[in-house]
Amino acid sequence: MSKLLIVGTVAFDAIETPFGKTDKILGGAATYIGLSAANFNISSAIVSVVGEDFPEEYIKMLQEKNIDTSAIEVVKGGKTFFWSGRYHNDLNSRDTLETQLNVLADFSPVVPDHFKDAEIVMLGNLHPLVQLSVINQMTVTPKLIALDTMNFWMDNALDDLMKVIAKVDVITINDEEARQLSGEYSLVKAARAIEKMGPKYIVIKKGEHGALLFHKDEVFFAPALPLEEVFDPTGAGDTFAGGFTGFLAKTGDISFENMKKAVIHASNLASFSVEKFGTERMENLNREEVRKRLLEFKRLTQFEIELS
């Protein structure tokens, strides 16, 4: 079993969707990634920063999930990163209402010594230079480095982003971001263009329409499970990333064939994340629920056909 190092935000969110709204609740990319990866009973650690206003009960909850929180810096007198957003009726688009960087503005990640040899590194959505500094702190070359990013960094820090992309093995982005980064509309062409930038594997997330995994001339597609109700898609992409890297850390196998399985596990866990606001569903997920839904995925995609 491999150790998983997670770098990203631990934050507060305030969310409004057609189904309701919340006040400040637990959020952040690293939080979703960690809670998702915890389903594989692996050794993981989160590197992040919060303010003095961050409740101790949230830290304890992460620790109870066997997540090492020793590298979550608490800034005395500081305030935790806060994001507020409103989703449109289709839940595929949203408007940012407010962003308060707070302690994240001066965040300089420090990888704990006992995770500087982590085999799997998941770089959650942060400034590319912050992501790069984590890579440079590793004392042993990781077996696999995965990167999540977004169009904001493509617009505002493209040169720095390209430096990070050149150093990672996997990049996970959505279809809109893949098109922007590559300049190609076809996702097949987009993946080929991004592969030339450095990553060996490209995961393109398409929300309710599933996810694509590319490696050289090979392509794998995983559907999203059709759900009756979707309440909050905020952490779905990060939950996917946590499921993907968590499974790879559990199995220690980074072959394309095993990554196919990782994509299925990732899609499965992401389908739970959207069922409640914030991290609530992931905090209370149990193993039997996960197993049953994996069987639903299998039934959804498995068929027999006679070829003449």
Side-chain angles (χ1 to χ4, degrees), residues 7 13 19 62 65 70-71 74 91 115 120 126 147 151 158 166 177 183 209 241 244 281 286 290 296 301 303:
V7 185
D13 289 339
F19 306 104
L62 294 172
K65 299 287 185 180
S70 62
V74 180
L91 295 179
F115 268 85
I120 308 288
L126 284 169
L147 168 76
N151 47 18
L158 183 59
E177 293 158 351
H209 302 298
F244 183 81
R281 190 70 173 95
N286 65 60
V290 175
E296 289 182 45
T301 57
F303 61 90

Side-chain angles (χ1 to χ4, degrees), residues 114-303:
H114 55 295
F115 268 85
K116 286 183 178 179
D117 61 349
E119 293 89 344
I120 308 288
V121 176
M122 180 65 229
L123 301 173
N125 180 31
L126 284 169
H127 194 290
L129 290 180
V130 174
Q131 295 172 323
L132 195 61
S133 75
V134 171
I135 296 174
N136 292 335
Q137 289 179 57
M138 304 304 290
T139 55
V140 177
T141 302
K143 184 186 289 186
L144 182 134
I145 302 174
L147 168 76
D148 190 24
T149 190
M150 65 184 299
N151 47 18
F152 179 84
W153 306 120
M154 296 174 200
D155 291 334
N156 297 285
L158 183 59
D159 290 344
D160 294 329
L161 178 59
M162 294 302 289
K163 292 175 187 175
V164 183
I165 289 175
K167 290 181 175 289
V168 305
D169 304 289
V170 180
I171 184 170
T172 67
I173 49 179
N174 66 32
D175 46 359
E176 177 190 353
E177 293 158 351
R179 289 179 172 125
Q180 178 175 343
L181 183 60
S182 66
E184 297 282 359
Y185 184 81
S186 160
L187 294 180
V188 175
K189 289 183 178 179
R192 286 176 184 158
I194 295 169
E195 190 174 354
K196 291 177 182 176
M197 300 172 189
K200 303 179 189 72
Y201 305 90
I202 295 90
V203 178
I204 299 179
K205 300 169 289 185
K206 291 168 58 62
E208 62 182 315
H209 302 298
L212 289 155
L213 170 66
F214 296 89
H215 174 59
K216 296 182 178 177
D217 294 327
E218 297 183 281
V219 184
F220 176 70
F221 172 72
L225 194 70
L227 299 172
E228 286 189 24
E229 293 181 311
V230 176
F231 277 87
D232 175 20
T234 304
D238 296 313
T239 303
F240 180 98
F244 183 81
T245 50
F247 179 78
L248 295 179
K250 176 73 172 180
T251 58
D253 180 357
I254 59 168
S255 67
F256 183 76
E257 287 303 311
N258 200 51
M259 283 194 188
K260 290 180 183 179
K261 298 174 186 175
V263 169
I264 294 295
H265 280 279
S267 297
N268 186 47
L269 288 166
S271 74
F272 287 105
S273 175
V274 301
E275 292 182 334
K276 299 281 186 181
F277 280 104
T279 60
E280 181 183 349
R281 190 70 173 95
M282 299 309 295
E283 289 180 44
N284 301 301
L285 195 56
N286 65 60
R287 189 172 297 179
E288 184 59 23
E289 288 178 303
V290 175
R291 191 189 71 85
K292 283 183 177 179
R293 192 160 288 184
L294 272 175
L295 290 175
E296 289 182 45
F297 261 97
K298 189 174 181 180
R299 285 193 292 267
L300 179 69
T301 57
Q302 201 170 46
F303 61 90

